[in-house]
Amino acid sequence: MKDANDIAEIMKKVGLFGIGLWALTEEKIQDIADDLIENGEMKKEEGKQFVRDVVEEQKKQKEDMEKKISSKVQETISKADVATKDEVSELKDIIKSLEAKIDKLTGSEEDNE
């Protein structure tokens, strides 16, 4: 059975690290394993482990990519000085309160005239 270093070497050999595992489908990964088995570069059981390892690595890369994107989005929003939902909600409440005060003041003035 090949160890993780051997599997990683095979993945490098077929260029999986270069194109980004997150972009591959499990079916494509299985096709690659089938080709390696067919070419005698690994045994069938090693192929199964290869697919499991690649799918696991794919999940890790996807999670890392999502974290990086989320972090960059948050960073961009904070730099853009954009109002948050809470801040907008607070401003709406203030506006409603001021409108009520204005209505009360204008309504009482109209009664005096």
mmCIF file of all heavy atoms in Angstrom, residues 71-105:
data_model
loop_
_atom_site.group_PDB
_atom_site.id
_atom_site.type_symbol
_atom_site.label_atom_id
_atom_site.label_comp_id
_atom_site.label_asym_id
_atom_site.label_seq_id
_atom_site.Cartn_x
_atom_site.Cartn_y
_atom_site.Cartn_z
ATOM 1 N N SER A 71 -12.845 36.145 4.309
ATOM 2 C CA SER A 71 -11.954 37.100 4.967
ATOM 3 C C SER A 71 -11.732 38.332 4.091
ATOM 4 O O SER A 71 -11.791 39.467 4.575
ATOM 5 C CB SER A 71 -10.618 36.425 5.271
ATOM 6 O OG SER A 71 -9.702 37.345 5.781
ATOM 7 N N LYS A 72 -11.502 38.109 2.800
ATOM 8 C CA LYS A 72 -11.275 39.229 1.881
ATOM 9 C C LYS A 72 -12.534 40.088 1.737
ATOM 10 O O LYS A 72 -12.450 41.317 1.675
ATOM 11 C CB LYS A 72 -10.833 38.723 0.504
ATOM 12 C CG LYS A 72 -9.397 38.348 0.452
ATOM 13 C CD LYS A 72 -8.533 39.572 0.648
ATOM 14 C CE LYS A 72 -7.071 39.240 0.540
ATOM 15 N NZ LYS A 72 -6.217 40.367 0.904
ATOM 16 N N VAL A 73 -13.700 39.447 1.700
ATOM 17 C CA VAL A 73 -14.953 40.197 1.590
ATOM 18 C C VAL A 73 -15.132 41.070 2.835
ATOM 19 O O VAL A 73 -15.450 42.261 2.727
ATOM 20 C CB VAL A 73 -16.157 39.243 1.400
ATOM 21 C CG1 VAL A 73 -17.475 39.971 1.605
ATOM 22 C CG2 VAL A 73 -16.111 38.600 0.024
ATOM 23 N N GLN A 74 -14.903 40.484 4.019
ATOM 24 C CA GLN A 74 -15.034 41.253 5.259
ATOM 25 C C GLN A 74 -14.033 42.415 5.288
ATOM 26 O O GLN A 74 -14.371 43.524 5.695
ATOM 27 C CB GLN A 74 -14.829 40.339 6.477
ATOM 28 C CG GLN A 74 -15.917 39.309 6.659
ATOM 29 C CD GLN A 74 -17.289 39.936 6.820
ATOM 30 O OE1 GLN A 74 -17.459 40.951 7.488
ATOM 31 N NE2 GLN A 74 -18.282 39.334 6.201
ATOM 32 N N GLU A 75 -12.821 42.149 4.857
ATOM 33 C CA GLU A 75 -11.785 43.179 4.818
ATOM 34 C C GLU A 75 -12.186 44.309 3.870
ATOM 35 O O GLU A 75 -12.045 45.490 4.185
ATOM 36 C CB GLU A 75 -10.470 42.542 4.359
ATOM 37 C CG GLU A 75 -9.301 43.483 4.304
ATOM 38 C CD GLU A 75 -8.047 42.785 3.770
ATOM 39 O OE1 GLU A 75 -7.822 41.611 4.106
ATOM 40 O OE2 GLU A 75 -7.306 43.438 3.017
ATOM 41 N N THR A 76 -12.707 43.944 2.710
ATOM 42 C CA THR A 76 -13.121 44.933 1.712
ATOM 43 C C THR A 76 -14.279 45.776 2.237
ATOM 44 O O THR A 76 -14.289 47.003 2.078
ATOM 45 C CB THR A 76 -13.520 44.232 0.400
ATOM 46 O OG1 THR A 76 -12.400 43.484 -0.070
ATOM 47 C CG2 THR A 76 -13.944 45.237 -0.653
ATOM 48 N N ILE A 77 -15.240 45.135 2.867
ATOM 49 C CA ILE A 77 -16.388 45.862 3.414
ATOM 50 C C ILE A 77 -15.931 46.845 4.492
ATOM 51 O O ILE A 77 -16.376 47.989 4.521
ATOM 52 C CB ILE A 77 -17.446 44.883 3.969
ATOM 53 C CG1 ILE A 77 -18.141 44.181 2.806
ATOM 54 C CG2 ILE A 77 -18.460 45.591 4.852
ATOM 55 C CD1 ILE A 77 -19.075 43.061 3.222
ATOM 56 N N SER A 78 -15.032 46.404 5.368
ATOM 57 C CA SER A 78 -14.584 47.301 6.432
ATOM 58 C C SER A 78 -13.793 48.481 5.869
ATOM 59 O O SER A 78 -13.900 49.599 6.362
ATOM 60 C CB SER A 78 -13.761 46.546 7.478
ATOM 61 O OG SER A 78 -12.539 46.118 6.945
ATOM 62 N N LYS A 79 -13.021 48.242 4.815
ATOM 63 C CA LYS A 79 -12.267 49.327 4.185
ATOM 64 C C LYS A 79 -13.186 50.288 3.430
ATOM 65 O O LYS A 79 -12.887 51.467 3.303
ATOM 66 C CB LYS A 79 -11.224 48.771 3.218
ATOM 67 C CG LYS A 79 -10.032 48.161 3.892
ATOM 68 C CD LYS A 79 -9.033 47.654 2.874
ATOM 69 C CE LYS A 79 -7.829 47.037 3.533
ATOM 70 N NZ LYS A 79 -6.867 46.518 2.551
ATOM 71 N N ALA A 80 -14.294 49.778 2.929
ATOM 72 C CA ALA A 80 -15.209 50.601 2.136
ATOM 73 C C ALA A 80 -16.075 51.496 3.011
ATOM 74 O O ALA A 80 -16.792 52.347 2.519
ATOM 75 C CB ALA A 80 -16.105 49.702 1.279
ATOM 76 N N ASP A 81 -16.004 51.307 4.320
ATOM 77 C CA ASP A 81 -16.787 52.112 5.258
ATOM 78 C C ASP A 81 -18.269 52.065 4.914
ATOM 79 O O ASP A 81 -18.949 53.084 4.806
ATOM 80 C CB ASP A 81 -16.280 53.555 5.278
ATOM 81 C CG ASP A 81 -16.739 54.303 6.522
ATOM 82 O OD1 ASP A 81 -16.970 53.646 7.559
ATOM 83 O OD2 ASP A 81 -16.899 55.532 6.439
ATOM 84 N N VAL A 82 -18.770 50.841 4.712
ATOM 85 C CA VAL A 82 -20.175 50.604 4.381
ATOM 86 C C VAL A 82 -20.947 50.395 5.677
ATOM 87 O O VAL A 82 -20.470 49.741 6.593
ATOM 88 C CB VAL A 82 -20.302 49.353 3.479
ATOM 89 C CG1 VAL A 82 -21.744 49.013 3.207
ATOM 90 C CG2 VAL A 82 -19.541 49.571 2.184
ATOM 91 N N ALA A 83 -22.142 50.945 5.751
ATOM 92 C CA ALA A 83 -22.972 50.786 6.937
ATOM 93 C C ALA A 83 -23.435 49.342 7.067
ATOM 94 O O ALA A 83 -23.782 48.697 6.088
ATOM 95 C CB ALA A 83 -24.186 51.707 6.849
ATOM 96 N N THR A 84 -23.441 48.872 8.307
ATOM 97 C CA THR A 84 -23.915 47.515 8.568
ATOM 98 C C THR A 84 -25.440 47.510 8.652
ATOM 99 O O THR A 84 -26.074 48.566 8.758
ATOM 100 C CB THR A 84 -23.343 46.973 9.890
ATOM 101 O OG1 THR A 84 -23.858 47.765 10.967
ATOM 102 C CG2 THR A 84 -21.827 46.998 9.894
ATOM 103 N N LYS A 85 -26.026 46.326 8.647
ATOM 104 C CA LYS A 85 -27.482 46.206 8.778
ATOM 105 C C LYS A 85 -27.951 46.831 10.085
ATOM 106 O O LYS A 85 -28.973 47.512 10.125
ATOM 107 C CB LYS A 85 -27.897 44.729 8.765
ATOM 108 C CG LYS A 85 -28.160 44.156 7.434
ATOM 109 C CD LYS A 85 -28.684 42.737 7.609
ATOM 110 C CE LYS A 85 -29.344 42.260 6.349
ATOM 111 N NZ LYS A 85 -29.904 40.921 6.500
ATOM 112 N N ASP A 86 -27.202 46.580 11.154
ATOM 113 C CA ASP A 86 -27.574 47.128 12.460
ATOM 114 C C ASP A 86 -27.539 48.660 12.451
ATOM 115 O O ASP A 86 -28.429 49.314 13.017
ATOM 116 C CB ASP A 86 -26.646 46.605 13.558
ATOM 117 C CG ASP A 86 -26.859 45.121 13.842
ATOM 118 O OD1 ASP A 86 -27.947 44.597 13.504
ATOM 119 O OD2 ASP A 86 -25.948 44.494 14.412
ATOM 120 N N GLU A 87 -26.519 49.216 11.808
ATOM 121 C CA GLU A 87 -26.421 50.674 11.739
ATOM 122 C C GLU A 87 -27.568 51.263 10.926
ATOM 123 O O GLU A 87 -28.157 52.285 11.315
ATOM 124 C CB GLU A 87 -25.080 51.090 11.125
ATOM 125 C CG GLU A 87 -23.889 50.791 12.017
ATOM 126 C CD GLU A 87 -22.553 50.988 11.328
ATOM 127 O OE1 GLU A 87 -22.475 50.787 10.100
ATOM 128 O OE2 GLU A 87 -21.584 51.332 12.025
ATOM 129 N N VAL A 88 -27.913 50.638 9.830
ATOM 130 C CA VAL A 88 -29.027 51.109 9.000
ATOM 131 C C VAL A 88 -30.330 51.003 9.780
ATOM 132 O O VAL A 88 -31.158 51.922 9.767
ATOM 133 C CB VAL A 88 -29.104 50.311 7.676
ATOM 134 C CG1 VAL A 88 -30.377 50.633 6.913
ATOM 135 C CG2 VAL A 88 -27.880 50.600 6.814
ATOM 136 N N SER A 89 -30.510 49.900 10.494
ATOM 137 C CA SER A 89 -31.718 49.704 11.300
ATOM 138 C C SER A 89 -31.819 50.779 12.386
ATOM 139 O O SER A 89 -32.894 51.340 12.635
ATOM 140 C CB SER A 89 -31.708 48.318 11.931
ATOM 141 O OG SER A 89 -32.841 48.121 12.716
ATOM 142 N N GLU A 90 -30.698 51.071 13.012
ATOM 143 C CA GLU A 90 -30.676 52.109 14.047
ATOM 144 C C GLU A 90 -31.042 53.473 13.458
ATOM 145 O O GLU A 90 -31.819 54.232 14.052
ATOM 146 C CB GLU A 90 -29.280 52.158 14.680
ATOM 147 C CG GLU A 90 -29.168 53.096 15.859
ATOM 148 C CD GLU A 90 -27.768 53.087 16.462
ATOM 149 O OE1 GLU A 90 -27.075 52.063 16.371
ATOM 150 O OE2 GLU A 90 -27.383 54.126 17.019
ATOM 151 N N LEU A 91 -30.521 53.775 12.275
ATOM 152 C CA LEU A 91 -30.848 55.044 11.621
ATOM 153 C C LEU A 91 -32.330 55.122 11.256
ATOM 154 O O LEU A 91 -32.968 56.176 11.393
ATOM 155 C CB LEU A 91 -29.982 55.242 10.376
ATOM 156 C CG LEU A 91 -28.513 55.571 10.638
ATOM 157 C CD1 LEU A 91 -27.733 55.564 9.332
ATOM 158 C CD2 LEU A 91 -28.378 56.920 11.340
ATOM 159 N N LYS A 92 -32.902 54.010 10.809
ATOM 160 C CA LYS A 92 -34.334 53.974 10.496
ATOM 161 C C LYS A 92 -35.160 54.278 11.738
ATOM 162 O O LYS A 92 -36.149 55.024 11.673
ATOM 163 C CB LYS A 92 -34.726 52.611 9.927
ATOM 164 C CG LYS A 92 -34.272 52.388 8.503
ATOM 165 C CD LYS A 92 -34.693 51.006 8.010
ATOM 166 C CE LYS A 92 -34.251 50.771 6.585
ATOM 167 N NZ LYS A 92 -34.642 49.422 6.106
ATOM 168 N N ASP A 93 -34.748 53.699 12.869
ATOM 169 C CA ASP A 93 -35.464 53.951 14.123
ATOM 170 C C ASP A 93 -35.388 55.423 14.517
ATOM 171 O O ASP A 93 -36.377 56.024 14.954
ATOM 172 C CB ASP A 93 -34.899 53.083 15.254
ATOM 173 C CG ASP A 93 -35.208 51.604 15.080
ATOM 174 O OD1 ASP A 93 -36.125 51.262 14.285
ATOM 175 O OD2 ASP A 93 -34.531 50.777 15.733
ATOM 176 N N ILE A 94 -34.224 56.017 14.340
ATOM 177 C CA ILE A 94 -34.048 57.445 14.655
ATOM 178 C C ILE A 94 -34.923 58.297 13.744
ATOM 179 O O ILE A 94 -35.588 59.236 14.203
ATOM 180 C CB ILE A 94 -32.557 57.845 14.538
ATOM 181 C CG1 ILE A 94 -31.749 57.178 15.647
ATOM 182 C CG2 ILE A 94 -32.395 59.360 14.567
ATOM 183 C CD1 ILE A 94 -30.242 57.318 15.488
ATOM 184 N N ILE A 95 -34.960 57.961 12.468
ATOM 185 C CA ILE A 95 -35.784 58.709 11.509
ATOM 186 C C ILE A 95 -37.260 58.615 11.884
ATOM 187 O O ILE A 95 -37.973 59.628 11.876
ATOM 188 C CB ILE A 95 -35.535 58.211 10.067
ATOM 189 C CG1 ILE A 95 -34.127 58.612 9.614
ATOM 190 C CG2 ILE A 95 -36.593 58.751 9.106
ATOM 191 C CD1 ILE A 95 -33.672 57.959 8.323
ATOM 192 N N LYS A 96 -37.720 57.427 12.228
ATOM 193 C CA LYS A 96 -39.122 57.249 12.639
ATOM 194 C C LYS A 96 -39.435 58.078 13.873
ATOM 195 O O LYS A 96 -40.486 58.713 13.961
ATOM 196 C CB LYS A 96 -39.421 55.773 12.911
ATOM 197 C CG LYS A 96 -39.543 54.943 11.675
ATOM 198 C CD LYS A 96 -39.820 53.483 12.016
ATOM 199 C CE LYS A 96 -39.815 52.630 10.758
ATOM 200 N NZ LYS A 96 -39.985 51.209 11.052
ATOM 201 N N SER A 97 -38.509 58.092 14.817
ATOM 202 C CA SER A 97 -38.695 58.873 16.037
ATOM 203 C C SER A 97 -38.765 60.364 15.717
ATOM 204 O O SER A 97 -39.633 61.089 16.236
ATOM 205 C CB SER A 97 -37.547 58.589 17.004
ATOM 206 O OG SER A 97 -37.601 59.435 18.120
ATOM 207 N N LEU A 98 -37.878 60.820 14.846
ATOM 208 C CA LEU A 98 -37.883 62.240 14.469
ATOM 209 C C LEU A 98 -39.150 62.606 13.699
ATOM 210 O O LEU A 98 -39.713 63.692 13.894
ATOM 211 C CB LEU A 98 -36.638 62.563 13.634
ATOM 212 C CG LEU A 98 -35.302 62.551 14.391
ATOM 213 C CD1 LEU A 98 -34.138 62.682 13.421
ATOM 214 C CD2 LEU A 98 -35.269 63.653 15.437
ATOM 215 N N GLU A 99 -39.597 61.692 12.806
ATOM 216 C CA GLU A 99 -40.840 61.949 12.063
ATOM 217 C C GLU A 99 -42.016 62.078 13.023
ATOM 218 O O GLU A 99 -42.879 62.955 12.858
ATOM 219 C CB GLU A 99 -41.104 60.816 11.057
ATOM 220 C CG GLU A 99 -40.203 60.864 9.846
ATOM 221 C CD GLU A 99 -40.398 59.658 8.919
ATOM 222 O OE1 GLU A 99 -40.868 58.594 9.381
ATOM 223 O OE2 GLU A 99 -40.060 59.788 7.731
ATOM 224 N N ALA A 100 -42.036 61.207 14.037
ATOM 225 C CA ALA A 100 -43.119 61.273 15.019
ATOM 226 C C ALA A 100 -43.087 62.600 15.774
ATOM 227 O O ALA A 100 -44.138 63.224 16.005
ATOM 228 C CB ALA A 100 -43.019 60.099 15.989
ATOM 229 N N LYS A 101 -41.911 63.061 16.140
ATOM 230 C CA LYS A 101 -41.768 64.335 16.843
ATOM 231 C C LYS A 101 -42.207 65.487 15.945
ATOM 232 O O LYS A 101 -42.888 66.414 16.398
ATOM 233 C CB LYS A 101 -40.332 64.540 17.312
ATOM 234 C CG LYS A 101 -39.952 63.650 18.478
ATOM 235 C CD LYS A 101 -38.506 63.864 18.882
ATOM 236 C CE LYS A 101 -38.133 62.902 20.008
ATOM 237 N NZ LYS A 101 -36.739 63.033 20.402
ATOM 238 N N ILE A 102 -41.817 65.433 14.670
ATOM 239 C CA ILE A 102 -42.204 66.485 13.721
ATOM 240 C C ILE A 102 -43.711 66.498 13.545
ATOM 241 O O ILE A 102 -44.338 67.570 13.569
ATOM 242 C CB ILE A 102 -41.479 66.294 12.364
ATOM 243 C CG1 ILE A 102 -39.984 66.594 12.522
ATOM 244 C CG2 ILE A 102 -42.091 67.178 11.283
ATOM 245 C CD1 ILE A 102 -39.147 66.223 11.318
ATOM 246 N N ASP A 103 -44.306 65.310 13.392
ATOM 247 C CA ASP A 103 -45.767 65.232 13.248
ATOM 248 C C ASP A 103 -46.453 65.801 14.474
ATOM 249 O O ASP A 103 -47.456 66.514 14.363
ATOM 250 C CB ASP A 103 -46.212 63.777 13.027
ATOM 251 C CG ASP A 103 -45.844 63.262 11.644
ATOM 252 O OD1 ASP A 103 -45.507 64.083 10.764
ATOM 253 O OD2 ASP A 103 -45.880 62.017 11.447
ATOM 254 N N LYS A 104 -45.917 65.505 15.639
ATOM 255 C CA LYS A 104 -46.505 66.002 16.884
ATOM 256 C C LYS A 104 -46.398 67.524 16.953
ATOM 257 O O LYS A 104 -47.355 68.208 17.291
ATOM 258 C CB LYS A 104 -45.803 65.362 18.075
ATOM 259 C CG LYS A 104 -46.424 65.689 19.394
ATOM 260 C CD LYS A 104 -45.729 64.936 20.510
ATOM 261 C CE LYS A 104 -46.371 65.281 21.840
ATOM 262 N NZ LYS A 104 -45.692 64.615 22.942
ATOM 263 N N LEU A 105 -45.230 68.047 16.582
ATOM 264 C CA LEU A 105 -45.019 69.493 16.623
ATOM 265 C C LEU A 105 -45.885 70.208 15.580
ATOM 266 O O LEU A 105 -46.486 71.237 15.873
ATOM 267 C CB LEU A 105 -43.544 69.837 16.392
ATOM 268 C CG LEU A 105 -42.581 69.514 17.522
ATOM 269 C CD1 LEU A 105 -41.143 69.736 17.071
ATOM 270 C CD2 LEU A 105 -42.891 70.373 18.745
#
